[in-house]
Amino acid sequence: MKHPIRLEICKLLDEHTTLTTQEIQNLLEQAYTNEKQVYAANDHVLSLRAVGIVELLEEWVEEKGDEEILMQRWGLTKFGREKYLKYW
């Protein structure tokens, strides 16, 4: 049985220290093949931020062709790590 997506995001951030939203989604795609929730990784991260579990560490804009993409790098807060370890 797989862990809930948000708990898995906490695990990934604990293992990698920091990740971008895109890196989180890519890692989730490997672990949760064909799960639609993976494509809502940004929403899950923002929900975790709203309750103080993750924090935005860096934000920048990347240009890809004619588009500009907002990139964000995330990390677990001290509070988030404590909560994650309690339930893992």
Side-chain angles (χ1 to χ4, degrees), residues 25 28-29 32 34-44:
Q25 183 171 328
L28 288 173
E29 285 174 355
Y32 293 80
N34 298 322
E35 288 280 339
K36 291 180 182 177
Q37 290 187 52
V38 168
Y39 302 105
N42 186 57
D43 295 335
H44 291 298

Side-chain angles (χ1 to χ4, degrees), residues 40-53:
N42 186 57
D43 295 335
H44 291 298
V45 172
L46 292 176
S47 293
L48 291 168
R49 180 186 188 192
V51 294
I53 291 177

Side-chain angles (χ1 to χ4, degrees), residues 51-62:
V51 294
I53 291 177
V54 302
E55 62 185 336
L56 181 62
L57 301 174
E58 185 180 3
E59 190 171 58
W60 69 98
V61 174
E62 280 189 8

Side-chain angles (χ1 to χ4, degrees), residues 10-49:
C10 292
K11 176 183 158 243
L12 292 171
L13 287 170
D14 191 43
E15 290 174 351
H16 297 274
T17 309
T18 70
L19 291 168
T20 66
T21 308
Q22 187 61 51
E23 290 168 335
I24 291 169
Q25 183 171 328
N26 293 342
L27 290 167
L28 288 173
E29 285 174 355
Q30 294 172 18
Y32 293 80
T33 309
N34 298 322
E35 288 280 339
K36 291 180 182 177
Q37 290 187 52
V38 168
Y39 302 105
N42 186 57
D43 295 335
H44 291 298
V45 172
L46 292 176
S47 293
L48 291 168
R49 180 186 188 192

Side-chain angles (χ1 to χ4, degrees), residues 66-81:
D66 294 338
E67 292 183 19
E68 289 185 340
I69 299 172
L70 178 64
M71 301 294 292
Q72 297 173 317
R73 180 167 299 282
W74 301 95
L76 272 179
T77 63
K78 181 180 176 187
F79 170 75
R81 182 165 280 108

